[in-house]
Amino acid sequence: MSDLSGLYQELILDHSRRRIGDGELADPHATHHELNPTCGDEITMGVRLDASGTRVEAIGWVGDGCSISMASASALTELATGADLERVRQLIDGFRSMMRSQGAGEADEDLLGDAIAFHGVSKYVMRVKCAMLSWVALEACIAAASAGSAASSAPTTTT
Amino acid sequence: MTLDRTTTIDGLLPEALRLDFPYLAQELNGHPLAYLDSGATAQRPRTVLDAERDYLERSNAAVHRGASTLVGTSTTAFEDARATVARFVGAGLREIVWAENATDAINIVALGMADAAAGLGGPEAAVFRLGEGDEIVVTEAEHHANLIPWQRLAAKTGATLRWIPVHDDGTWGIDDAASVIGERTRLVAFAHVSNVTGHLAPVADVAELAHRHGALVLLDACQSVPHRPTDFADLGVDFAAFSAHKMLGPTGIGVLYGREALLDALPPARTGGSTITTVTMESASFLPSPQRFEAGTQPVSQAVALAEAVRYLDALDMQRVHEHEGALAELLVDEVAGIPGIRLLGPAAGVERAALASVDVAGVHAHDVGQFLDSRGIAVRVGHHCAQPLHRRLGLRATTRASAYVYTTPDEIRRFAAALAEVRGFFGIDA
Ligand SMILES: Cc1ncc(COP(=O)(O)O)c(C=O)c1O
C-alpha cells in the first residue's frame, strides 16, 4: 500500500474533500470548460481579475471528476488566488513540468508549495491528465482574461 | 495444444489452460495479476502467437495477387482462415468480410448505405437507400462504435435516428423495442450483449419484429461471439460485427458478417485494388462479397492467427465456455451485491448476464477505484466504456468494470470483490 499512499497523499485526499473554489464565480472576466474525453471528467473554471487587470482576484469552478482532478483544482485555487498574472503563469509552467517529470527529480516547493504533493501523480502516466485538467483550464482563462475583457473560450475538445 | 482436463476451473474449463497464456503469469504491483479486463481486450494463448509467427516464417506472400506457388500457399491460408471463422458463427464463406475491427465492420455498412443513398450501387442497392422520413433505430445502451456511424448516416441521408430507451438498470426488452420500431424503421442496430451492463438482448425477437416492418438488422456481436455459441443465421440478423482481439485473437482484424445477397448489393465504401472485375478510365465494376469490400492489402497473418484463436475456443467448446462464464457471472453478482455503497449496473440477480460487472462506488470516482484495485494487482476498466449516453441516462459519468473470460478463476473474482469492499474505507468514505 506504500505505493498507493505515494499517489494519494493526505494533502491530496484532504483537498479532494475541501474543494476550495468549488462553485460558480460571479462576474468572471473569463471562463473555460475543459474535458478529459477518456473518462468524462470536466471542469468549468471562472477567473476574475482585480481592477488593475494584473492580479487574480477570485477563482471559482464547477467540476466533476476523480479525487486527483478535484484536489488539483482545489490546490490551484488556493495557490493562484491573489497572485499576479506573471506568478500564475510561473505556477502553471512549474506545475506542468512537475507533472511531466514521471516522478524524477525534486519538485520546486518554493514555487508550488503544497501542490508538490502532486509530484507522486506524475509517475502514473494515466493520471497526469487528471491532475492537469484544472491547470489547463486556468491557463486558458488567464490567456483570455489578459487578451480582452470578458471573454469566454471554447473547450479545447470539439466535434 | 495440450489441455489437461483433469484439474478444472469450477469444474468446467481446464485449470491448466492458464499456462497457455504467457501474459497471465505476470505480477502487477507486487501481486499476482488478476486480469479482469477481457471485455476491453483479451489475452492470447501461445498457439495464437505462434500461428502468426509460423505463417510469417513459412507462408507469407501476397494473397489473391499473382499466380506463383507462394501466392497459392498464402492465399490458401488466408481463405482457410475465413472458412474457419465462418463455420464458427454459422456463416457461409462469402458472408465473412475482413475489417480492421468491429468498429470498422459497422462503418462498412453505414458508409455503404450512405453511398447507396448518394445514388451508387444500382437498383439492387435500393434496400440500403435511406432518406427523409426513414428511421434508423439503435438503443440507448450502445457502444459509440454502434452509435456514431448511424448518427452520421442519418445526417448524410436526412433519415431520423431514434433509440430504444433503457430502464434504470440499463436493460431493455422487446416491449421497449416495439415502442420504437415501426413502419418507418429501415435499420435496427444493437448490441447482442452490452459491454457495460452485461445485458443480453432478445435478438431473435427484435430481428423478427424489424423484419416484419421491412427493416434490416445489424448486430454488434463484440461481447457475444467470444463468450457464447453464436449462429447468426439462427439469430436471424442481416449483419453482425465482432473483433478478433476480444476472442483470444490479434488486433488489427475484425469481422463483418452479412447475408450473402445483401453483401453483394451493398456498395463498397472503400475501393481500389483487389475489389474489381473490370476497370476502365471512367468506371469500375466490383466483385461479389467478400472481395468487393477488401480493398488493398489485407491483414493476412492476423486472419491466420484469428483462425487459430477460433480453433482454441472450439477445442475448449463454446458451450463450456458459456457455462464457465455463467458460473463466474453468478459469483460476480453474489460477491458484489453484498458490498455496502456499491451500485451494480445491469440485470438483477438471477437474470442472465455476461460475466462482467460495472459498478458505481458511492463517493469514490471510478478512476480512484481503479487505481486502488490496480495497487492490489487487479486490472479492470474505468471510465464510460465508450458508452457516454448510457452512463448519462443512468446518472453516472464513469464506472468500474470487471470482465471475465476463459482463463478467469473464481479466486480472481473474489479478490476483486474483496478489494472493492475496501475502497470506500481507503478514501475515507463512511461504510
Ligand atoms: C459492445 C462493443 N461494441 C463495439 C466495440 C468496438 O470494438 P473495436 O474497438 O474492437 O472496434 C466494443 C469494444 O470496445 C464493444 O464492447
Side-chain angles (χ1 to χ4, degrees):
Chain A
M1 200 56 60
S2 56
D3 192 28
L4 203 56
S5 48
L7 173 65
Y8 293 112
Q9 298 203 8
E10 206 40 60
L11 225 130
I12 293 183
L13 290 178
D14 193 45
H15 264 296
S16 79
R17 286 181 217 115
R18 281 164 68 207
R19 295 172 70 108
I20 300 168
D22 187 4
E24 198 177 330
L25 183 71
D27 306 321
H29 287 103
T31 62
H32 182 82
H33 173 248
E34 192 65 29
L35 173 75
N36 180 348
T38 59
C39 59
D41 284 7
E42 60 185 319
I43 194 162
T44 302
M45 183 168 286
V47 170
R48 193 169 62 232
L49 305 182
D50 69 358
S52 71
T54 60
R55 183 183 290 278
V56 173
E57 185 178 274
I59 294 174
W61 51 269
V62 177
D64 190 350
C66 65
S67 62
I68 302 289
S69 66
M70 296 297 100
S72 178
S74 173
L76 163 159
T77 306
E78 193 171 56
L79 272 174
T81 303
D84 66 47
L85 292 182
E86 194 40 47
R87 178 164 168 77
V88 172
R89 288 192 191 98
Q90 283 169 7
L91 285 171
I92 295 169
D93 289 347
F95 192 84
R96 177 176 281 129
S97 40
M98 176 175 76
M99 294 318 297
R100 285 180 179 163
S101 71
Q102 300 188 358
E106 289 280 315
D108 186 348
E109 185 165 8
D110 292 342
L111 177 66
L112 295 172
D114 283 356
I116 61 163
F118 290 87
H119 190 214
V121 179
S122 69
K123 270 189 287 194
Y124 295 79
V125 274
M126 300 308 289
R127 303 304 296 276
V128 168
K129 269 195 168 176
C130 309
M132 283 304 301
L133 188 75
S134 57
W135 292 82
V136 172
L138 177 66
E139 188 172 42
C141 284
I142 297 299
S146 44
S149 44
S152 176
S153 56
T156 49
T157 39
T158 53
T159 43
Chain B
M1 171 186 16
T2 52
L3 291 179
D4 176 359
R5 294 202 177 272
T6 55
T7 50
T8 64
I9 301 178
D10 56 41
L12 290 162
L13 292 180
E15 178 96 52
L17 76 80
R18 285 180 66 88
L19 302 176
D20 297 338
F21 294 81
Y23 190 94
L24 300 178
Q26 292 181 68
E27 289 201 338
L28 176 61
N29 294 321
H31 299 269
L33 169 64
Y35 186 75
L36 295 177
D37 200 15
S38 295
T41 201
Q43 299 307 334
R44 305 174 211 174
R46 209 174 267 112
T47 48
V48 168
L49 302 170
D50 289 347
E52 187 160 0
R53 181 174 195 93
D54 187 59
Y55 168 83
L56 292 169
E57 285 183 349
R58 298 191 302 130
S59 310
N60 184 43
V63 300
H64 290 301
R65 290 181 182 180
S68 68
T69 307
L70 298 183
V71 168
T73 306
S74 59
T75 303
T76 301
F78 184 62
E79 292 303 330
D80 281 354
R82 193 190 310 274
T84 302
V85 171
R87 215 177 306 116
F88 190 64
V89 293
L93 275 184
R94 302 216 296 107
E95 297 184 320
I96 296 296
V97 177
W98 302 125
E100 287 172 22
N101 45 44
T103 303
D104 185 51
I106 294 168
N107 273 287
I108 290 173
V109 179
L111 295 172
M113 290 179 74
D115 277 1
L120 299 175
E124 70 274 18
V127 63
F128 299 116
R129 254 170 223 130
L130 304 189
E132 276 183 34
D134 290 331
E135 293 178 354
I136 302 164
V137 173
V138 295
T139 81
E140 219 174 353
E142 293 315 303
H143 189 286
H144 297 161
N146 199 28
L147 172 60
I148 305 170
W150 308 120
Q151 293 175 345
R152 308 285 288 188
L153 179 62
K156 287 177 194 170
T157 60
T160 302
L161 181 72
R162 298 190 61 193
W163 49 91
I164 298 166
V166 301
H167 306 163
D168 291 345
D169 61 1
T171 68
W172 57 277
I174 186 68
D175 292 345
D176 306 295
S179 72
V180 179
I181 295 168
E183 287 314 310
R184 292 168 176 271
T185 309
R186 298 288 308 280
L187 175 88
V188 183
F190 62 101
H192 193 170
V193 170
S194 162
N195 64 313
V196 178
T197 64
H199 169 245
L200 183 69
V203 181
D205 291 345
V206 175
E208 200 269 326
L209 175 68
H211 287 150
R212 214 179 325 126
H213 292 291
L216 296 166
V217 175
L218 180 139
L219 189 68
D220 174 352
C222 275
Q223 300 291 345
S224 55
V225 165
H227 303 285
R228 57 180 62 229
T230 307
D231 184 307
F232 293 132
D234 273 0
L235 289 169
V237 298
D238 299 302
F239 295 103
F242 56 99
S243 273
H245 70 94
K246 294 181 196 284
M247 52 187 292
L248 313 180
T251 52
I253 190 165
V255 175
L256 170 65
Y257 160 85
R259 288 201 288 118
E260 193 173 311
L262 286 171
L263 285 178
D264 283 345
L266 181 68
R270 279 188 302 261
T271 55
S274 304
T275 66
I276 49 82
T277 50
T278 310
V279 181
T280 66
M281 282 317 292
E282 291 80 24
S283 68
S285 33
F286 296 97
L287 286 160
S289 172
Q291 275 75 30
R292 68 202 269 107
F293 300 107
E294 295 176 358
T297 301
Q298 293 295 297
V300 184
S301 63
Q302 291 91 330
V304 169
L306 168 57
E308 192 60 31
V310 165
R311 277 190 284 276
Y312 188 93
L313 288 169
D314 267 339
L316 290 180
D317 179 353
M318 284 308 288
Q319 186 53 38
R320 276 173 169 267
V321 169
H322 179 43
E323 285 167 24
H324 160 74
E325 294 191 29
L328 291 181
E330 242 176 74
L331 181 65
L332 248 180
V333 172
D334 279 358
E335 291 275 331
V336 167
I339 306 173
I342 301 288
R343 173 180 170 197
L344 172 65
L345 307 188
V351 180
E352 181 174 13
R353 69 149 70 213
L356 64 85
S358 297
V359 298
D360 176 49
V361 180
V364 187
H365 190 280
H367 267 181
D368 297 319
V369 176
Q371 198 80 58
F372 183 84
L373 297 174
D374 198 272
S375 76
R376 297 294 178 86
I378 301 161
V380 295
R381 170 85 191 265
V382 297
H384 50 58
H385 321 306
C386 299
Q388 282 186 12
L390 176 62
H391 276 79
R392 204 171 292 121
R393 163 66 182 80
L394 301 180
L396 298 166
R397 199 177 288 267
T399 53
T400 303
R401 180 186 72 187
S403 54
Y405 204 9
V406 292
Y407 38 67
T408 305
T409 65
D411 181 54
E412 290 175 314
I413 303 285
R414 291 194 189 96
R415 276 177 61 197
F416 164 70
L420 197 60
E422 286 182 52
V423 167
R424 297 178 79 232
F426 178 81
F427 288 99
I429 311 291
D430 302 333

